[in-house]
Amino acid sequence: MMDMGGGHGMGMGTGGAAPAPAAAHGGMRMHYMHMTFYWGKNSEILFHGWPGSSGGMYALALVVVFALAVLVECLSSCRWLESRLSSSGRPAAAGAARAAVHALRVGMAYVLMLALMSFNVGVLLAAVAGHAAGFLLFRAGLFGGQAQVEDGAKDYLAPAACC
């Protein structure tokens, strides 16, 4: 049988042999990453070893993802910032502030996307719930403010437009 793994025991063409011990890979441990959606608290979200296998840390990770999604929605609807910037009378400073808020929003949206790439269903649900809560709080006019969604508006899904 031909070993296409270069003699390193990678399991390709070896009839399903297990990966070689850590010593064969220069002391590095092989790491498995999910490529399909799964449900469970044993996952890695954003950082190596976080949240680990602790249920409390997994719950904290879900809260962080939820809060991040709410914050992305908040920054997507900064009408209070627009009103302050337009009345400041300094177009260069206003443009720089808008660019900074935009960069922060897009950066946080990308971090949220990376968290979703853990393929953990709990993370997906926390992100969707956070975006929905943020939309209700800041864009839907639920609490007496004016709804920011007009008929035929192209920016209805503005936070997703960054990708």
Side-chain angles (χ1 to χ4, degrees), residues 7 22 38 60 80 129 135 137 139:
Y38 70 98
L60 176 65
W80 58 270
F135 184 86
L137 287 171
R139 298 182 74 186

Side-chain angles (χ1 to χ4, degrees), residues 34 36-43 58 62 119-126:
H34 286 275
T36 58
F37 282 107
Y38 70 98
W39 186 271
K41 66 177 179 60
N42 297 338
S43 64
Y58 178 69
L62 295 182
F119 289 99
N120 186 291
V121 175
V123 173
L124 173 69
L125 294 176

Side-chain angles (χ1 to χ4, degrees), residues 9-38:
M10 296 299 287
M12 290 183 63
T14 59
H25 296 285
M28 293 179 58
R29 230 178 70 202
M30 294 295 290
H31 181 70
Y32 178 75
M33 184 175 147
H34 286 275
M35 297 305 286
T36 58
F37 282 107
Y38 70 98

Side-chain angles (χ1 to χ4, degrees), residues 92-153:
R98 282 186 193 100
V101 169
H102 177 74
L104 182 64
R105 179 184 66 87
V106 169
M108 289 182 359
Y110 279 127
V111 169
L112 191 60
M113 178 191 64
L114 289 173
L116 289 170
M117 289 177 63
S118 69
F119 289 99
N120 186 291
V121 175
V123 173
L124 173 69
L125 294 176
V128 170
H131 277 293
F135 184 86
L136 282 174
L137 287 171
F138 304 111
R139 298 182 74 186
L142 186 65
F143 296 108
Q146 183 178 3
Q148 294 183 17
V149 178
E150 295 93 23
D151 290 335

Side-chain angles (χ1 to χ4, degrees), residues 139 154-161:
R139 298 182 74 186
K154 291 180 88 176
D155 67 339
Y156 178 71
L157 296 176

